[in-house]
Each structure stands twice: as C-alpha cells, then as structure tokens.
Amino acid sequence: MGVKHAREYSDILSELAEAMHSIGDGYLFFEMETADWEELEEAQRVELMEALADDVFYALGEEPVLHVGGGVVAYRPKHHIIEVSVDQKEIRIIRLI
C-alpha cells in the first residue's frame, strides 16, 4: 500500500525524525538498551532518529499505527497526515501534502 505523499520525502523525513526524537525513548524500537543510547553523542542520536523515521515511514504503509517506545505513530490517510503522540497527547503532526 505505502504512505501516499506529495511533499518532498526529505522534508517529511526531517520532521518525522524530530518527532521521533521528542518521544524520548524511541530508540527502544531498535531494541537498544538505555545505557547504549546514553553513550551516543548527539550527532549519533540524530542519525539514529533519521534511520528510525525512515523505518517508521515505510512501516506505516503496512501497519497504520505503530508503537515506538512510549509513543504512538499513526498514519491518517484520509487527512494526509502522520500523528505522533506520547501519553495520549499529540506532540506532532506531519503533513504529507
């Protein structure tokens, strides 16, 4: 199926990576230990969140709701958005068009 989008993928990915970083424990999606995350430099954390955003974007094409650490990422095709929330509070909306 895939996530349909009209915006530049790089722009969507950048916003989604920022949202993944704001989840706080999104690294758990990769089954990474907290101690390993804490040892990373900030540049490495940003790079890991970009990889996570890429994986999540493509996974949303198959599964419209994903649990990422303590957060939930949902693809809403009717509204052309991706919602990222933590503790049932919306923290980010990424527009796809």
Side-chain angles (χ1 to χ4, degrees):
M1 176 173 116
V3 174
K4 295 181 181 180
H5 59 92
R7 289 180 59 209
E8 288 291 324
Y9 178 71
S10 60
D11 295 338
I12 294 168
L13 187 65
S14 177
E15 289 181 31
L16 189 54
E18 287 178 32
M20 295 293 99
H21 198 64
S22 65
I23 289 175
D25 62 355
Y27 58 87
L28 295 174
F29 189 80
F30 290 127
E31 299 180 5
M32 177 181 270
E33 298 292 328
T34 303
D36 294 333
W37 172 256
E38 291 173 350
E39 289 178 6
L40 296 176
E41 295 178 13
E42 186 58 27
Q44 293 171 308
R45 290 179 182 184
V46 168
E47 188 176 311
L48 188 65
M49 289 300 104
E50 288 172 356
L52 176 59
D54 188 53
D55 289 352
V56 165
F57 184 85
Y58 285 101
L60 287 171
E62 297 295 321
E63 188 69 37
V65 177
L66 298 171
H67 294 273
V68 178
V72 176
V73 183
Y75 171 44
R76 307 284 186 225
K78 181 178 178 181
H79 301 289
H80 309 288
I81 61 171
I82 295 173
E83 294 176 344
V84 180
S85 62
V86 176
D87 298 329
Q88 300 175 344
K89 296 177 185 169
E90 184 180 291
I91 59 169
R92 195 70 184 259
I93 293 178
I94 293 95
R95 301 202 181 282
L96 301 172
I97 58 172

